[in-house]
């Protein structure tokens, strides 16, 4: 019988496949929604190759995602001068419980980093004018 990747209980009915985590039971499935939203947010971000603040932001997010338990790949488009992060589709390198525990803290860190990057950009644009 198949077991829930999160809590380890045997599944009486087919489980739900949660990307990066594995098959989970019905009780555990809802716990992963915020984590999946975090992954979606990270994958939507694009970073400017010519902006140091943007580069620091990308490096910090990549490091944090790795610390949570995700494998992340950096992609660069030299023509568009952009960089983006891809959270790999294979399973994460930690159990789901550890990932869920830290996701809210991680979202708060991301928001702080985005705010700081925006302030840096505005300061640079103000001094350039």
């Amino acid at each position: 019988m198949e077991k829930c990747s999160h809590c380890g209980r045997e599944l009486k009915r087919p489980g739900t496949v949660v990307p990066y985590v594995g098959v989970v039971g019905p009780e555990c499935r809802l716990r992963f929604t915020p984590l999946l939203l975090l992954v979606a947010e990270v994958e939507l971000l694009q970073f400017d190759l010519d902006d140091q603040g943007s580069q620091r932001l990308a490096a910090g997010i990549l490091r944090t995602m790795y610390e949570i338990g995700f494998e992340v790949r950096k992609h660069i488009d030299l023509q568009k001068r952009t960089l983006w992060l891809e959270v790999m589709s294979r399973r994460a390198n930690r159990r789901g419980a550890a990932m869920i525990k830290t996701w809210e803290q991680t979202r708060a860190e991301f928001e702080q980093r985005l705010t700081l990057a925006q302030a840096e950009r505005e300061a640079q644009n103000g001094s350039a004018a």
Side-chain angles (χ1 to χ4, degrees):
M1 238 184 166
E2 195 169 35
K3 291 185 178 186
C4 175
S5 295
H6 178 64
C7 68
R9 286 191 284 181
E10 286 190 11
L11 301 176
K12 294 178 180 154
R13 289 181 247 140
T16 302
V17 176
V18 175
Y20 316 105
V21 176
V23 177
V24 297
E27 299 86 15
C28 294
R29 179 177 53 92
L30 296 176
R31 295 180 183 169
F32 287 94
T33 301
L35 190 64
L36 296 176
L37 291 174
L38 175 68
V39 170
E41 286 179 39
V42 167
E43 291 189 323
L44 288 175
L45 294 172
Q46 293 213 351
F47 306 94
D48 185 348
L49 286 177
D50 301 316
D51 178 46
Q52 285 185 345
S54 187
Q55 291 298 310
R56 281 193 303 275
L57 177 63
I61 290 174
L62 187 138
R63 184 176 52 252
T64 302
M65 291 298 285
Y66 180 77
E67 288 169 2
I68 291 174
F70 286 106
E71 298 292 329
V72 181
R73 181 175 289 156
K74 188 172 18 173
H75 296 279
I76 296 174
D77 184 334
L78 291 175
Q79 287 186 325
K80 294 181 181 177
R81 306 295 301 157
T82 59
L83 172 148
W84 68 96
L85 303 174
E86 176 188 10
V87 180
M88 304 307 292
S89 60
R90 66 188 190 84
R91 290 184 59 165
N93 61 20
R94 287 197 188 158
R95 285 188 53 112
M99 296 169 82
I100 290 172
K101 185 177 177 183
T102 58
W103 86 268
E104 283 185 4
Q105 176 185 343
T106 302
R107 280 183 64 101
E109 283 179 29
F110 285 175
E111 288 174 15
Q112 288 175 340
R113 288 180 180 151
L114 290 170
T115 302
L116 180 61
Q118 182 64 33
E120 284 180 2
R121 224 177 330 310
E122 288 172 0
Q124 278 185 337
N125 291 340
S127 64

